[in-house]
Each structure stands twice: as structure tokens, then as C-alpha cells.
């Protein structure tokens, strides 16, 4: 989807992402960036085609970015900043634009995860998003039906990878994951991708603030058979949780409902293999692959 510094984009495979018309805040950010780009271009006395040629992109893409119809990639803003002598003002918008390219519901989730002091997650079918490698995430998201467009797929993968910044936080949050054994044995993306994913789990599990446990398939009588369970706890003592088959699957924060979510997770965590036993099972699955 991208272009290198020597080739002008022909418009057939435009770098960037379409603006989500239902995301008002994201669309407003993109529109603001577009107006700034246009103002700097006109101040420099350049036509859209001339700017595009100077930075390696097509004229049509420049018009779409300026019109707020296309989310530019960071490198476009960097090149435009240099070509227009913007002194870093355009390049400084990369962070805002990067957030706008992610679906709103994913941005909201990522912001909550950024604030969480503790994350508890039970996964019945797939690995939690922050545990996924990029190739695994792309293959998994590629199974959706109706199928995502290339643009939608790349945005979804980028959003999922951005959430992994939770591992870089200081102070680090406490992270607890319980995964069904089936989610470890399903070779999403093929054997090579699957093996790298299992290896990644073993690496993440070495972090002192991460616990990964496995619920054996043979252990059927636990309260997680209705689907995923997630809890985020914050430093101020508040929390939010959700269960696939309770409360219409919506996040809840009132104490009475949170107690139900935490009760289920606590039982699941107690019935799962210990962290040491779980890592041994992951190593066993990896050895069998």
C-alpha cells in the first residue's frame, strides 16, 4: 500500500486509510490536518500535483488528504513537512492522525487499557488481542465474514498492535490471562504463524507482571462456557467488566454486576492450570507442532 521515496503513487493503491463517516471525532482530526496541509502547500506556492511529485505521492491522494477524505500515513506528513518547510508543525500531527485511523470502539478500549492498573481476561476461542503477534492477528481478522477490505484489515491489525503498548508502561499493570486450551491448538495462519505465536506467549509469560494460565479442554464444568470475560481495574478503585452472555455483552461498572463478572473470573482462574503448568502445556503444544 505504501510507496518508496522514488516512485510517485499512481492512485491505484493509495497509501493511507479511508475516513470512517461514523467517527465524528476522528473525521474532525483528519479534516484539521488536511486544512493545515493545504494552507502550507498554498503558502509555498505549490499545486497539489507538484507537492505530490516532490514527496512521492499522487495528486489525487493529496487532494483527498486535504479534503479530509483520506487518513494520511505518518511518512506523508513527514515528507510534506520537510518539502514545505513547516518546521515540524505538520509532522507533529502524526500522533493525532495515527489515533484517528483506528476504529472508535478500539480507540476507546485502548484508552481504558492504558489507564488500567489490572487487566483480567478469559478467552474461550481466540487469544487476547494484546497477546497476538501481527501475523496471527492479520490471519485471525482475515477469517471474519463478511470479509474485511484490505484497508479495513490493515486498520484493524494496526489498532490491535497499538494496544500492545500496555507492556511498555511504567509502572506496569498486573495482567492475568486464562486461555482455553483450544485457542492454543488452533493453527491460525498456518503452522509457521502459529508456532511464532506460541513462542510469543512463552516470551510474554516471562514478564514479572504477566500470568498466563490454560483451561484444559477436559475441564468442562466451569462458568466460562458462555464466552469471554474481561475486567479492567483502575488506580482510583473503579473498574469495568463484561461477559459475552450477560448484560447483553455490554461493559458494566456498577458494583453488583461487577461482582458477578469477578466471581466468574475468580472461579475460572482457580480451576485453570497454574502458570507453571500452563507454560509446560504451551511448550508441549509447540513441540507437537
Amino acid at each position: 500500500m505504501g510507496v518508496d521515496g522514488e516512485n510517485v503513487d499512481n492512485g491505484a493503491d493509495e497509501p493511507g486509510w479511508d475516513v470512517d463517516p461514523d467517527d465524528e471525532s476522528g473525521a474532525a482530526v483528519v479534516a484539521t490536518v488536511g486544512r493545515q496541509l493545504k494552507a502550507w502547500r498554498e503558502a509555498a506556492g505549490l499545486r497539489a500535483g507538484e507537492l505530490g511529485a516532490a514527496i512521492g505521492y499522487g495528486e489525487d491522494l493529496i487532494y483527498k488528504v486535504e479534503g479530509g477524505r483520506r487518513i494520511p500515513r505518518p511518512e506523508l506528513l513527514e515528507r510534506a513537512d520537510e518539502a514545505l518547510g513547516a518546521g515540524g508543525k505538520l509532522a507533529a500531527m502524526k500522533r493525532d492522525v495515527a489515533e484517528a485511523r483506528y476504529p472508535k470502539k478500539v480507540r476507546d478500549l485502548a484508552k481504558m487499557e492504558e489507564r488500567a492498573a489490572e487487566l483480567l481476561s478469559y478467552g474461550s476461542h481466540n487469544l487476547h488481542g494484546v497477546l497476538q503477534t501481527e501475523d496471527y492477528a492479520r490471519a485471525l481478522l482475515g477469517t471474519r465474514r463478511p470479509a474485511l477490505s484490505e484497508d479495513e484489515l490493515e486498520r484493524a491489525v494496526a489498532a490491535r498492535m497499538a494496544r500492545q503498548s500496555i507492556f511498555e508502561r511504567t509502572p506496569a499493570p498486573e495482567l492475568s490471562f486464562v486461555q482455553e486450551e483450544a485457542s492454543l491448538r488452533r493453527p491460525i495462519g498456518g503452522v509457521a504463524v502459529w508456532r511464532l505465536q506460541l513462542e510469543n506467549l512463552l516470551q510474554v509469560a516471562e514478564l514479572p507482571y504477566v500470568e498466563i494460565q490454560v483451561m484444559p479442554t477436559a475441564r468442562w464444568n466451569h462458568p466460562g462456557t458462555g464466552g469471554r470475560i474481561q475486567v479492567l481495574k483502575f488506580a482510583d478503585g473503579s473498574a469495568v467488566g463484561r461477559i459475552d452472555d450477560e448484560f447483553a455483552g455490554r461493559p458494566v461498572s456498577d458494583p453488583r454486576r461487577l461482582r458477578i463478572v469477578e466471581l466468574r473470573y475468580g472461579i475460572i482462574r482457580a480451576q485453570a492450570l497454574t502458570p507453571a503448568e500452563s507454560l509446560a502445556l504451551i511448550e508441549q503444544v509447540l513441540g507437537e507442532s
Side-chain angles (χ1 to χ4, degrees):
M1 291 175 64
V3 295
D4 58 38
E6 300 178 355
N7 297 320
V8 176
D9 182 82
N10 62 12
D13 188 18
E14 294 177 344
W17 301 267
D18 290 330
V19 175
D20 182 355
D22 296 325
D23 181 5
E24 294 183 2
S25 60
V29 169
V30 177
T32 298
V33 172
R35 287 194 296 270
Q36 287 294 315
L37 177 62
K38 183 177 180 180
W40 280 99
R41 174 179 63 77
E42 291 180 342
L46 295 177
R47 294 191 294 272
E50 292 173 328
L51 173 61
I55 63 176
Y57 295 97
E59 178 182 18
D60 186 56
L61 176 61
I62 300 299
Y63 277 128
K64 286 182 178 179
V65 171
E66 291 182 349
R69 302 190 305 278
R70 191 74 172 167
I71 304 173
R73 287 185 179 273
E75 56 267 26
L76 185 150
L77 294 177
E78 291 174 348
R79 296 178 191 179
D81 189 283
E82 182 177 356
L84 299 173
K89 294 182 175 62
L90 288 173
M93 296 181 173
K94 290 186 297 182
R95 179 179 177 84
D96 295 329
V97 170
E99 291 185 0
R101 69 180 177 171
Y102 307 143
K104 184 177 184 301
K105 65 179 181 180
V106 177
R107 291 205 308 272
D108 293 342
L109 174 61
K111 287 177 180 178
M112 284 197 294
E113 289 178 345
E114 286 175 0
R115 295 192 299 110
E118 188 175 354
L119 181 155
L120 314 174
S121 174
Y122 162 71
S124 56
H125 297 297
N126 303 311
L127 298 175
H128 190 284
V130 302
L131 296 175
Q132 296 175 14
T133 66
E134 183 171 344
D135 288 339
Y136 180 97
R138 180 173 287 103
L140 182 63
L141 291 165
T143 65
R144 289 186 179 177
R145 293 297 180 273
L148 299 176
S149 67
E150 182 179 354
D151 182 79
E152 292 170 332
L153 178 60
E154 291 308 313
R155 289 181 70 177
V157 171
R160 188 156 295 183
M161 293 301 100
R163 288 169 55 196
Q164 296 185 6
S165 62
I166 194 171
F167 294 118
E168 302 168 2
R169 280 176 38 196
T170 302
E174 293 296 321
L175 307 178
S176 169
F177 304 94
V178 180
Q179 292 291 154
E180 279 291 337
E181 181 180 347
S183 68
L184 305 176
R185 294 189 178 277
R186 184 172 294 116
I188 300 293
V191 173
V193 170
W194 176 41
R195 284 184 57 84
L196 289 175
Q197 176 61 73
L198 294 175
E199 291 173 357
N200 184 66
L201 288 180
L202 294 173
Q203 292 175 1
V204 171
E206 293 178 358
L207 297 172
Y209 53 89
V210 175
E211 281 192 352
I212 297 178
Q213 294 176 254
V214 177
M215 178 65 77
T217 301
R219 199 161 295 166
W220 61 269
N221 59 336
H222 63 78
T225 53
R228 294 172 299 169
I229 299 175
Q230 297 174 321
V231 180
L232 293 173
K233 297 183 179 182
F234 307 103
D236 62 2
S238 63
V240 62
R242 68 174 298 276
I243 306 176
D244 277 351
D245 67 342
E246 285 281 355
F247 320 123
R250 296 183 182 133
V252 296
S253 56
D254 66 279
R256 182 179 62 83
R257 292 183 172 182
L258 270 174
R259 179 180 174 279
I260 294 173
V261 179
E262 293 187 78
L263 174 65
R264 289 200 189 181
Y265 187 79
I267 295 173
I268 288 171
R269 194 174 186 178
Q271 291 184 330
L273 298 177
T274 67
E277 292 169 338
S278 299
L279 295 186
L281 178 58
I282 295 173
E283 291 174 343
Q284 176 186 327
V285 174
L286 180 60
E288 294 171 354
S289 63

